[in-house]
Amino acid sequence: MTDALLKVEDLKVAYGGIHAVKGINLEVKQGELVALIGANGAGKSTTLKTLVGMVKPTAGSITFNGENTARLAPYHYVDRGLVLVPEGRGVFPRLTVEENLQMGAHTRNDKGAIASDMARVYDLFPRLKERRLQLAGTLSGGEQQMVAIGRAIMSRPKLLLLDEPSMGLAPIIVQKIFEIIRMIAAEGVTMLLVEQNAKLALETADRGYVMESGKITLADDAKVLLANEAIQKAYLGE
Amino acid sequence: MNFAFMKTRHGKAITYAVLAVILALLPWMLTGGFENGKSWVRAVDFALLYIMLALGLNIVVGYAGLLDLGYIAFYAVGAYVYALLNSPHLAAILPAWLIGPNFIVMLVVAAVFAGMFGVMLGTPVLKLRGDYLAIVTLGFGEIIRIFLNNLDRPVNITNGPQGINNIDKVHFLDIDFGRPMEWLGLTFDMVHLYYYLILAFCIFIIFVTLRLQHSRIGRAWVALREDEIAANAMGINIRNVKLLAFAMGASFGGVSGALFASFQGFVSPESFVLMESIMVLCMVVLGGMGHIPGVILGAIIVSITPEILRDVINPLQEGIFGRRVVDPENLRMLIFGLAMIIIMLLRPEGLWPSKRRAREFHEHDEEAQA
Ligand SMILES: Nc1ncnc2c1ncn2[C@@H]1O[C@H](COP(=O)(O)OP(=O)(O)O)[C@@H](O)[C@H]1O
Ligand SMILES: [Mg+2]
């Protein structure tokens, strides 16, 4: 396939002597919601961090929107539309909700569009609108996740990378976050979603990859993966 | 206190007008009101220089969150650049066109030079934060001072510990700032003339820092201060933004230093010791880090208080004991130290903090009330 928005080929990443990602291939097409699932320590976060330059690959290639984006400095990715909502959210704790959202639009110049995007984020997260002047560090975990996602939307991503948005959240909040993820997907934002909550991720996604100790072991339509017995045993607790 | 009135547009205009009148008349109130009024105007001139320094350091420490304990080095660079180009010291060696340049050109040169030194300091410390950064910057400040002290051999550039004398006063707009001038029936002495000159630059720098704060670069500094990794992810080039903070802060110091050299007519390495860096940092922290009005207040308090003490303590001592028991200079550090401890214990956010900082320190109080 040549029309992939993101194409990763034979990507290898190591931390000193530890090989965290051992030669993976994956791709995300325009408009898709792709899930990357796997156990703790499989290398999912490392993969996402490598995609936005926070970690440098040891081998392999990353092509985003037709451009080789491996090894750029981390601040070059937002402009290209590659935006990560990191594990643990990475909000600015001592800035207000609104200031956090504005930071997402830091590299943009289109004032009017920024204002309308802000309004859209507040539509998606009415909760944030109520708390727009509260310091982000004083929000609950779920609200911080909303800030992190909202801030990413403010960057107008072409590909949104989400690292375990459900982590540490109460089930009802997780449902809410995934509802939002589906809404954003419906608006046409392409997403690569990393989750340990495999069931929910595969129910939400179009396609899925399964990662085990640094390698991709399975890749298929999300529905097919959901029906796969081995996956049900290993990840879906059935 | 209720400042609500001052926030309306009408109120703002009135406040600024009153402030302008006070600032315009201040030196005359001092010379008219006090027997040693001129030395008070001189003290105010120095306070204005310190405000410029504190605002420069505030960019580095307050906005970008980079602790710098060697800031006075940039003041030194500005002062020496002015001194070398405006005194007989190097006049025989340097080409004639370099000596005594136009005043504005001179200030630009001082700012650019100091800014280059800022980048020189910034580059090796890009990866450092907090206490490590503080130690390296402290070392940098000392290195500059030691260079100034020793660059009299083999070629005499800085004239070593003796310093440089006979520095020309500013000549600008047909005014010789070193000579008394008659105008509107008033005699403007050197201290008066310099008051207005330094005040003008001080206002200019306040204006620039205000604009910076609300600019894209100002927001980038905030992001950098709060979380480097997240800032990077927002598309901010950490390296450039940090170097810009160092360079901007340093260039303010350089301008201030150049004005200092011309005002004082004499510079030596002694004026640029570590204690001076610490004093400027105290002004920033005591006033309210990152908040321009607070930083100005801090600079005024820290630079003027010793003058007041000098005038109050000696007569007081003589009145009570019949003689001087303690040298006011020693007492000054004692009182200053105590004041710092008390203020930092009671108001760690500074005397006049920004709303943001006050909130950071009192978030828990609010929660307790809620
Ligand atoms: N900064 C790091 N330094 C060294 N090893 C790391 C670092 N980050 C992750 N690892 C290791 O890399 C492997 C993959 O980690 P990670 O990508 O976080 O997995 P996942 O997100 O799938 O749970 C793990 O063995 C982890 O211990
Ligand atoms: Mg992870």
Side-chain angles (χ1 to χ4, degrees), chain A residues 54 74-76 78 90-96 99-100 102-104 106-109 133-135 138 151, chain B residues 216-217 219-220 222-223 225-227 229-239 356 359-360 363 367:
Chain A
M54 287 165 72
Y75 62 89
H76 282 307
V78 174
V91 301
F92 294 99
R94 301 196 302 179
L95 300 190
T96 64
E99 287 167 333
N100 265 278
Q102 276 157 353
M103 280 295 175
H106 191 267
T107 59
R108 293 172 55 186
N109 278 322
L133 299 180
Q134 192 170 329
L135 299 188
T138 63
R151 190 180 63 183
Chain B
R216 174 182 300 229
I217 182 75
R219 288 193 299 273
V222 171
R225 181 185 72 208
E226 294 300 322
D227 186 336
I229 294 172
N232 228 331
M234 298 299 105
I236 294 166
N237 181 339
I238 297 291
R239 187 190 50 137
R356 173 197 303 289
R359 227 174 130 184
E360 281 162 20
E363 197 68 35
E367 274 163 26

Side-chain angles (χ1 to χ4, degrees), chain B residues 24 51 80 94 130 135 148 242 252 263 266 268 292 341 347:
Chain B
I51 290 175
Y80 268 83
L94 292 177
I135 289 169
L148 295 175
K242 260 193 198 180
F252 286 16
F263 179 47
F266 163 72
S268 79
I292 294 168
I341 292 172
R347 268 185 92 86

Side-chain angles (χ1 to χ4, degrees), chain A residues 45 87 163-164:
Chain A
S45 293
E87 208 170 8
D163 197 350
E164 303 215 20

